Amino acid sequence: MLRYIPYVLLFALVTMIIYGWGLWRSMRQQQDLSNMLSAKGISRIKKALKRNGPMTSPELKETVKGLTAKQPFGREQIAVTDPEKFLGSLLPYMIKQKMISETQENGKTVYQLRK
């Protein structure tokens, strides 16, 4: 009887670790999805600017419209529902990180990749 106690304790420990990992992952899921969506948006904006050259904010809205992010093996997904608000958070971040630059051309604000 005493020889089974270590196995029961080991099973309880493994169960506790798996449960804790699942709980931690579910608490961070929304933040992870948000980070993935931002990364996809940045990538898509950079590709569009590389392909088309300088673009205005309304032109960039079309590139991020309908963008979605989903974790592997997960059911939850996040999508861009308001491209204007999404760009309003991404463009200042990209300028601050020196990925793109903002200039005025013919009275319009134009964004282009940094050289």
Side-chain angles (χ1 to χ4, degrees):
M1 184 69 150
L2 289 174
R3 66 180 186 194
Y4 295 114
I5 291 176
Y7 296 113
V8 171
L9 292 176
L10 183 64
F11 180 77
L13 179 67
V14 169
T15 303
M16 184 178 71
I17 290 171
I18 292 172
Y19 179 77
W21 177 72
L23 188 62
W24 177 80
R25 186 170 169 195
S26 70
M27 289 187 330
R28 290 190 38 101
Q29 183 177 24
Q30 198 61 34
Q31 183 64 38
D32 289 343
L33 287 172
S34 180
N35 291 344
M36 288 174 66
L37 187 64
S38 294
K40 274 181 125 178
I42 288 170
S43 175
R44 194 173 277 187
I45 288 171
K46 287 169 83 175
K47 283 180 187 175
L49 290 173
K50 188 174 184 177
R51 191 174 343 123
N52 301 329
M55 296 175 74
T56 62
S57 183
E59 293 170 336
L60 288 172
K61 282 182 204 172
E62 293 302 315
T63 60
V64 296
K65 189 182 243 183
L67 189 65
T68 62
K70 180 180 174 183
Q71 287 182 324
F73 309 111
R75 285 183 267 155
E76 297 293 320
Q77 129 175 347
I78 190 171
V80 174
T81 55
D82 186 2
E84 189 171 333
K85 188 175 179 183
F86 185 66
L87 275 179
S89 66
L90 273 188
L91 292 176
Y93 172 78
M94 291 177 75
I95 292 169
K96 185 177 178 183
Q97 296 297 317
K98 298 186 184 332
M99 294 179 204
I100 62 174
S101 62
E102 178 181 43
T103 56
Q104 293 286 333
E105 288 183 10
N106 301 328
K108 293 181 181 178
T109 304
V110 176
Y111 302 94
Q112 59 188 5
L113 284 174
R114 284 270 177 135
K115 294 179 176 147

